[in-house]
């Protein structure tokens, strides 16, 4: 059966998925994280429609994911592992060792960077970690190139028997382009395992040998990269030496190329594109450098290529103070940097510049900033409200997920990394205990984050007799990153049913003696349970109290989360105490200045009715059997 | 293929997380791809699904792919799902030639609700937008969507309104085909109705 080519308007992450399948990838593991989350589902979708054999799994964390993909590659299959950049920190232990051991089948690690940062705790540059781990890295500038690079990365990985990283930045992951592809022939490989303890279980003596082997591979890959003209190179040189050239990679390359073309200056200022920043193809760069008086390096997010350029007097970038060390290189910023470089070498500045008047007008208008908030109906809001009510003076350690927004409700004091709600609570507990003080501490962590990194911390806290309350906010989904399933319900990445591992069994397995499960929509009951828990924590024979606040996410489960939508209104008896607005902070409750009281916005209200329990003088009521309810909010 | 006023023609769809911004950009992009244009979209959402500002950049060309972000001051058309968000993008991306089509229903940021910030007067916002642009069309998209039973229709209503302005060559048949790929069949008629309503409701703004 033959089929003609197919075209789809794909997300960058879809383009990467397509490239993986075209490269014959058979195993993909991942832990969701913006901006990487769509790669695995897209790969699954395309593989299904193409009839390709593909195993996908949402692993419980990135290190687990990389180990799984690595083992698959050791069997000779082609494998990939996808994560966001901070996920690579979690997987770094695995990556460092895997680089020494090498692979049999190709192994591509996709680590998506987030300059900005838009949705991450750091702006770290995956290319630095690639260099630290001695792993080659590709840096795509657009979705189509990401697709091509991932195919080449897979070939290089297999040829040199080394894991290879693809580092797309958020602008590539979340760009959309029209991509066309021919039918992908299935090329399944059978798993094999050849015993070789000096490689797969190498002791330090053999590790030295493997390190030497790895360095040799990098040298040869660098030579290959210097001839990889599809991804590396510049347009034919102008005669003689030019005053200014640019070396760029990734999204900054795409931006600066557009900018120069827009201004008609592409012949005047040559650009050397490097799509493979490590191992750095030094010979290409040195040749380019010899044709320029000065070279401006544009790369995200750190100085990586820049430090490989030997003639420091010629190079402008972060080390010379020309390019900012933090923040995304958005077009405006690149225009500023380029404009300065052009002036400094005595060339004409850029023509296009923004209208300062518009900027001033915007400043004068002081448009209100939008900070993100928990959704109307979010069970986390109810949980945080109850926590604040039960233990207002506690230290609130929290974690990474939608519920970090609990800081708006004054119920989140810390957010360090995945799992740190528990480990920081431990640390606080021990630090205060040393002074003979038992401070109330409430840790909040989401279900997915708990599966990801919670268990080791909980086990440690129980073992070392730390004292705190742990509330696991169990909305039965990984909500922040786009509703991926968790081990709690047992639904797997391909939609099939695996074996569910309920939170309560894991918690009990960690040695916790106090465990309660409460629906956070029932605020009084949660408040009561929190107080009980705190009493247990305080007892000399007590310990850690865990409360699972279980209610499905309103976005993921809609009807299941709110089976009967309540229609609500606020009576004239409202005393303007603003508690529902300031403490509960539901976006669907506003203050109607004209009426002089709080009001419900029917557009935003999810109908959960939790606010009925919040109003101290019962002015929020349910509307029953009434035809046209008045909409208090005017638009 | 209808000749675009400019190549690339740069379009920003802006709104608040939860308004269907990303879906609107995907549908608009696909409608243009069906017509033979080359479209690159850059989405800015990150963590902002939960009530933050969301922005999609569409770069529409007869032949080339462009980088996913519109350079400063070079936006040609703004589709604003929310009035303050529409005004906001004019700071970095506006120019005197920009065309604006704006849903007039404000969504108050949480800081406005809590009294820590002010939402500017709507008439004032529209006047500022008009003074900073070549033309402004307004649509009461959220109110119309509410009448249809779900505020989520407002993004499709806005696409209908956009099609009526004639700025871009949008055709109902293309929308129908794309909706067929994205939605189950029972959801298609209501979305087409929203598109048609938007076509009728668009009005040029005159203060």
């Amino acid at each position: 059966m033959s089929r003609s080519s197919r075209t789809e308007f794909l997300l960058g992450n879809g383009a990467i998925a397509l490239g993986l399948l075209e490269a014959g990838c058979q195993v993909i593991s991942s832990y969701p994280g913006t901006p990487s989350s769509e790669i695995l589902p897209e790969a699954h979708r395309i593989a299904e429609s193409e009839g390709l054999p593909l195993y996908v799994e949402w692993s419980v964390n990135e290190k687990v994911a990389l180990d799984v993909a690595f083992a698959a590659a050791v069997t000779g299959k082609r494998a990939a592992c996808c994560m966001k950049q901070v996920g690579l920190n979690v997987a770094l232990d695995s990556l460092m060792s895997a680089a020494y051991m090498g692979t049999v089948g190709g192994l591509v690690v996709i680590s998506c960077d987030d300059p900005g940062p838009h949705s991450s705790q750091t702006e770290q540059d995956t290319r630095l970690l690639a260099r630290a781990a001695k792993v080659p890295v590709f840096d795509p500038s657009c979705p189509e190139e990401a697709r091509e690079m991932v195919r080449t990365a897979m070939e290089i990985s297999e040829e040199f028997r080394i894991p290879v990283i693809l580092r797309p930045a958020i602008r590539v992951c979340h760009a959309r382009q029209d991509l066309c592809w021919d039918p992908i022939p299935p090329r399944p490989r059978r798993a094999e395992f050849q015993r070789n303890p000096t490689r797969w279980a190498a002791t330090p003596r053999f590790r030295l040998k493997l390190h030497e082997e790895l360095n040799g591979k990098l040298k040869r890959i660098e030579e290959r990269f210097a001839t990889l003209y599809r991804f590396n190179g510049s347009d034919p040189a102008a005669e003689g030496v030019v005053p200014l050239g640019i070396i760029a990679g990734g999204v900054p390359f795409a931006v600066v190329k557009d900018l120069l073309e827009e201004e008609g200056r592409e012949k005047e200022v040559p650009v050397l594109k490097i799509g493979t920043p490590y191992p750095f193809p030094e010979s290409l760069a040195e040749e380019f450098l010899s044709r320029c008086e000065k070279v401006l390096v544009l790369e995200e997010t750190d100085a990586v290529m820049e430090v490989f350029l030997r003639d420091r007097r010629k190079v402008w970038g972060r080390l010379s103070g020309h390019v900012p060390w933090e923040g995304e290189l958005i077009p405006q910023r690149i225009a500023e940097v380029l404009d300065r470089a052009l002036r400094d070498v005595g060339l004409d500045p850029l023509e296009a510049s923004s209208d300062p008047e518009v900027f001033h007008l915007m400043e004068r208008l002081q448009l209100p900033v939008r900070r993100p908030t928990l959704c109307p109906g979010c069970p986390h809001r109810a949980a945080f409200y109850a926590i604040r009510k039960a233990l207002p003076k506690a230290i609130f350690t929290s974690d990474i997920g939608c519920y970090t927004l609990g800081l708006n409700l004054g119920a989140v004091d810390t957010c360090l990394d995945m799992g740190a709600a528990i480990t920081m609570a431990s640390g606080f507990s021990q630090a205060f205990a040393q002074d003979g003080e038992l401070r109330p501490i409430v840790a909040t962590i989401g279900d997915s984050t708990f599966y990801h990194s919670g268990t080791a911390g909980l086990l440690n806290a129980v073992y070392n007799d730390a004292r705190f309350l742990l509330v696991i906010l169990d909305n039965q989904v990984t909500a922040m990153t786009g509703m991926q399933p968790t081990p709690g319900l047992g639904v797997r990445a391909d939609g099939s049913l695996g074996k569910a591992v309920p939170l309560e069994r894991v918690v009990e397995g960690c040695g916790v003696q106090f465990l309660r499960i409460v629906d956070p929509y029932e605020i009084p009951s949660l408040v009561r349970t929190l107080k009980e828990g705190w009493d247990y924590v305080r007892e000399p024979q007590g310990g850690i109290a865990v409360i699972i606040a279980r209610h499905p996410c309103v976005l993921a489960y809609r009807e299941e989360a709110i089976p009967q939508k309540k229609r609500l209104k606020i009576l004239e008896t409202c005393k303007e105490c603003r508690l529902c607005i300031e403490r509960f902070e539901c976006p669907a409750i506003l203050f109607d200045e004209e009426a002089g009281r709080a009001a419900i916005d029917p557009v935003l209200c999810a109908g959960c009715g939790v606010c009925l329990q919040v109003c101290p003088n019962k002015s929020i009521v349910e509307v029953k059997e009434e035809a046209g309810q008045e909409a208090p909010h005017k638009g | 293929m209808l000749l675009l006023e400019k190549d690339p023609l740069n379009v920003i769809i802006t709104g608040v997380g939860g308004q269907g911004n990303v879906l609107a950009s995907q549908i608009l992009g696909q409608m243009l791809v069906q017509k033979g244009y080359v479209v690159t979209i850059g989405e800015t959402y990150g963590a902002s699904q939960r009530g933050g500002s969301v922005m999609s950049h569409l770069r529409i060309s007869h032949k080339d792919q462009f980088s996913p972000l519109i350079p400063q001051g070079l936006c040609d058309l703004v589709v604003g799902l929310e009035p303050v968000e529409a005004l906001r993008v004019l700071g970095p991306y506006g120019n005197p030639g920009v065309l604006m089509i704006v849903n007039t229903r404000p969504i108050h940021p949480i800081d406005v609700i809590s009294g820590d910030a002010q939402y500017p007067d709507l008439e004032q916002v529209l006047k500022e937008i008009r003074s900073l642009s070549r033309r402004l069309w307004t649509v009461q998209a959220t109110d119309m969507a509410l009448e249809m039973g779900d505020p989520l229709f407002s993004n499709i209503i806005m696409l209908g309104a956009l099609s009526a302005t004639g700025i871009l060559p949008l055709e109902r048949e293309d929308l129908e085909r794309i909706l067929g790929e994205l939605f189950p069949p029972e959801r298609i008629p209501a979305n087409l109705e929203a598109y048609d309503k938007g076509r009728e409701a668009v009005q040029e703004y005159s203060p």
Side-chain angles (χ1 to χ4, degrees):
Chain A
M1 191 179 69
S2 70
R3 178 172 69 67
S4 56
S5 65
R6 181 167 145 195
T7 301
E8 265 195 56
F9 199 45
L10 286 177
L11 209 55
N13 284 339
I16 292 166
L18 175 62
L20 285 171
L21 294 170
E22 289 174 318
C25 184
Q26 272 178 270
V27 172
I28 303 179
S29 57
S30 178
Y31 181 79
T34 309
S36 72
S37 312
E38 299 86 359
I39 301 171
L40 181 145
E42 281 291 88
H44 173 64
R45 182 181 68 82
I46 298 170
E48 290 271 289
S49 69
E50 297 278 332
L52 296 169
L54 177 69
Y55 171 75
V56 286
E57 75 166 45
W58 288 123
S59 308
V60 297
N61 68 33
E62 293 87 352
K63 176 236 180 305
V64 171
L66 184 49
D67 289 350
V68 166
F70 174 69
V74 168
T75 71
K77 297 195 180 204
R78 290 186 164 187
C81 179
C82 320
M83 61 195 70
K84 68 181 297 173
Q85 93 288 32
V86 290
L88 191 60
N89 303 343
V90 178
L92 202 55
D93 203 12
S94 174
L95 180 70
M96 290 264 183
S97 181
Y100 277 48
M101 288 161 76
T103 70
V104 179
L107 174 63
V108 179
V109 177
I110 297 151
S111 171
C112 303
D113 279 1
D114 182 15
H118 294 268
S119 184
S120 303
Q121 60 269 46
T122 70
E123 289 192 286
Q124 65 187 66
D125 188 330
T126 287
R127 301 173 307 155
L128 285 172
L129 293 188
R131 197 188 161 196
K134 300 197 168 186
V135 170
V137 60
F138 286 74
D139 183 14
S141 62
C142 68
E144 174 69 57
E145 191 178 45
R147 169 197 182 185
E148 283 176 37
M149 278 185 172
V150 88
R151 292 194 306 231
T152 307
M154 193 64 90
E155 297 296 336
I156 297 257
S157 167
E158 195 161 291
E159 181 183 340
F160 293 91
R161 300 196 160 202
I162 186 173
V164 175
I165 294 179
L166 179 82
R167 183 291 291 256
I170 191 166
R171 296 295 172 192
V172 172
C173 297
H174 289 175
R176 226 174 244 286
Q177 279 180 352
D178 217 22
L179 295 187
C180 176
W181 71 92
D182 292 325
I184 308 168
R187 290 170 291 175
R189 294 180 185 171
R190 290 191 66 82
E192 281 176 42
F193 179 64
Q194 307 255 325
R195 295 183 72 191
N196 181 1
T198 59
R199 180 171 297 276
W200 307 131
T203 50
R205 185 161 62 90
F206 291 103
R207 288 279 169 168
L208 177 66
K209 213 172 130 272
L210 291 178
H211 190 187
E212 195 185 343
E213 192 181 296
L214 173 60
N215 289 330
K217 289 177 186 178
L218 289 171
K219 195 72 215 142
R220 283 181 288 134
I221 292 169
E222 181 187 325
E223 284 160 18
R224 173 70 60 83
F225 281 175
T227 59
L228 209 54
Y229 299 120
R230 223 166 347 133
F231 305 132
N232 298 331
S234 58
D235 286 334
E239 291 292 309
V241 172
V242 296
L244 181 69
I246 293 170
I247 296 181
V251 178
F253 165 76
V255 171
V256 80
K257 183 171 154 276
D258 274 9
L259 188 63
L260 289 169
E261 281 172 10
E262 185 83 37
E263 301 258 337
R265 314 269 305 254
E266 65 272 27
K267 293 254 171 358
E268 187 187 353
V269 184
V271 181
L272 171 65
K273 173 175 175 287
I274 301 284
T276 59
Y278 182 79
F280 187 65
E282 211 174 301
S283 56
L284 273 183
E286 290 302 323
E287 191 276 328
F288 184 77
L289 220 60
S290 72
R291 294 192 278 118
C292 307
E293 280 170 25
K294 295 283 180 194
V295 161
L296 176 66
V297 183
L298 295 171
E299 55 184 333
E300 274 181 327
T301 313
D302 217 293
V304 174
M305 299 195 290
E306 187 183 345
V307 299
F308 286 110
L309 297 168
R310 288 169 198 253
D311 191 349
R312 301 243 50 89
R313 291 161 306 171
K314 278 189 154 187
V315 179
W316 287 345
R318 292 195 167 86
L319 295 165
S320 68
H322 285 76
V323 180
W325 281 96
E326 59 283 312
E328 189 180 7
L329 289 182
I330 52 174
Q332 290 93 305
R333 201 154 296 144
I334 288 189
E336 285 163 19
V337 169
L338 179 58
D339 192 65
R340 176 180 161 195
L342 288 167
R343 288 169 198 270
D344 286 356
V345 295
L347 293 175
D348 293 337
L350 294 176
E351 275 178 23
S353 62
S354 66
D355 185 348
E357 272 181 42
V358 180
F359 264 115
H360 290 143
L361 176 71
M362 289 296 159
E363 270 176 25
R364 183 168 57 73
L365 285 174
Q366 290 196 321
L367 298 180
V369 175
R370 286 186 197 275
R371 62 190 161 93
T373 54
L374 295 168
C375 304
C378 177
H380 300 335
R381 173 178 292 103
F384 284 125
Y385 183 81
I387 290 168
R388 273 291 302 243
K389 208 170 156 83
L391 291 155
K393 296 217 166 83
I395 297 173
F396 303 113
T397 61
S398 192
D399 226 297
I400 292 172
C402 295
Y403 51 92
T404 312
L405 296 171
L407 58 91
N408 293 352
L409 286 97
V412 169
D413 290 324
T414 69
C415 174
L416 175 66
D417 63 25
M418 294 287 278
I422 297 171
T423 41
M424 279 193 70
S426 275
F428 280 133
S429 160
Q430 307 294 10
F432 282 103
Q434 191 174 42
D435 305 343
E437 198 181 333
L438 182 62
R439 276 288 282 271
I441 300 164
V442 183
T444 47
I445 189 169
D447 48 340
S448 185
T449 308
F450 181 77
Y451 287 113
H452 180 287
S453 292
T455 49
L458 185 55
L459 194 65
N460 175 69
V462 170
Y463 164 53
N464 288 301
D465 199 22
R467 298 297 180 99
F468 57 88
L469 258 168
L470 168 63
V471 181
I472 305 181
L473 302 164
D474 181 14
N475 60 359
Q476 309 189 328
V477 77
T478 317
M480 186 75 181
T481 50
M483 312 305 166
Q484 295 81 8
T486 71
L489 296 183
V491 178
R492 299 170 72 198
D494 61 0
S496 68
L497 205 59
K499 292 188 172 66
V501 184
L503 279 175
E504 45 272 40
R505 293 189 55 187
V506 180
V507 170
E508 280 166 356
C510 289
V512 170
Q513 304 280 329
F514 182 105
L515 172 65
R516 304 282 186 275
I517 301 171
V518 185
D519 182 344
Y521 269 25
E522 308 297 328
I523 288 179
S525 147
L526 180 53
V527 170
R528 207 165 43 243
T529 313
L530 284 159
K531 286 180 174 164
E532 268 173 48
W534 172 234
D535 287 341
Y536 172 77
V537 171
R538 277 190 296 187
E539 278 171 31
Q541 295 308 309
I544 289 166
V546 178
I547 298 166
I548 298 175
R550 178 170 288 160
H551 194 100
C553 168
V554 282
L555 285 191
Y557 296 98
R558 293 172 188 273
E559 284 80 23
E560 213 179 306
I562 306 176
Q564 289 206 306
K565 274 184 90 161
K566 295 188 172 74
R567 285 174 62 201
L568 305 164
K569 73 173 184 184
I570 298 183
L571 302 174
E572 286 173 22
T573 55
C574 166
K575 289 189 174 161
E576 293 179 55
C577 71
R578 301 177 81 97
L579 186 126
C580 57
I581 290 169
E582 280 158 19
R583 277 294 173 81
F584 192 58
E585 209 204 55
C586 178
I589 305 179
L590 352 138
F591 197 79
D592 186 340
E593 298 289 346
E594 271 174 49
R597 62 173 190 267
I600 307 276
D601 183 344
V603 177
L604 296 175
C605 180
C608 69
V610 173
C611 57
L612 292 166
Q613 305 165 58
V614 168
C615 179
N617 44 294
K618 305 280 171 236
S619 293
I620 305 179
V621 294
E622 197 179 340
V623 184
K624 285 186 177 152
E625 304 293 316
E626 195 184 313
Q629 181 201 10
E630 273 184 31
H633 177 65
K634 297 173 193 72
Chain B
M1 198 172 15
L2 190 93
L3 202 64
L4 297 169
E5 192 178 293
K6 239 186 90 223
D7 194 330
L9 192 83
N10 295 323
V11 180
I12 292 179
I13 303 184
T14 183
V16 179
Q19 282 196 297
N21 208 92
V22 173
L23 183 64
S25 80
Q26 190 186 344
I27 292 174
L28 177 59
Q30 271 179 279
M31 287 173 81
L32 292 161
V33 166
Q34 300 255 353
K35 284 270 160 291
Y37 297 96
V38 180
V39 181
T40 306
I41 303 182
E43 308 282 7
T44 302
Y45 48 93
S48 29
Q49 294 99 320
R50 318 277 178 261
S53 304
V54 180
M55 181 168 58
S56 307
H57 288 194
L58 287 87
R59 314 203 64 192
I60 305 156
S61 168
H62 296 107
K63 53 185 196 308
D64 291 322
Q65 298 276 12
F66 285 84
S67 72
L69 287 180
I70 296 171
Q72 182 164 330
L74 288 184
C75 183
D76 302 303
L77 166 69
V78 175
V79 179
L81 303 182
E82 204 278 345
V84 153
E85 294 312 309
L87 177 54
R88 197 193 304 279
V89 299
L90 290 179
Y93 300 104
N95 60 74
V98 69
L99 302 168
M100 306 289 296
I101 172 159
V102 176
N103 176 12
T104 52
R105 170 76 166 233
I107 295 179
H108 285 185
I110 208 79
D111 287 333
V112 169
I113 293 172
S114 65
D116 295 335
Q118 281 266 312
Y119 193 96
D121 176 63
L122 178 63
E123 252 336 284
Q124 192 60 32
V125 170
L126 294 176
K127 273 189 194 144
E128 298 288 6
I129 293 175
R130 179 66 192 88
S131 75
L132 294 169
S133 62
R134 175 152 52 117
R135 282 176 88 175
L136 165 63
W137 289 269
T138 58
V139 193
Q140 291 178 320
T142 306
D143 297 331
M144 292 163 62
L146 276 176
E147 276 168 28
M148 291 183 66
D150 192 337
L152 283 175
F153 286 120
S154 55
N155 58 356
I156 304 290
I157 291 174
M158 289 300 288
L159 289 184
L162 173 61
S163 75
T165 64
I167 302 166
L168 292 168
L170 304 180
E171 282 186 41
R172 195 179 191 274
E173 298 77 66
D174 294 326
L175 175 70
E176 200 169 347
R177 194 168 328 130
I178 292 153
L179 291 174
E181 289 165 16
L182 293 172
F183 295 144
E186 66 273 15
R187 281 179 60 190
I188 295 171
N191 277 290
L192 287 173
E193 187 193 331
Y195 184 81
D196 294 338
K197 288 200 164 160
R199 280 189 66 85
E200 289 157 22
V202 66
Q203 284 182 335
E204 180 140 14
Y205 176 82
S206 51

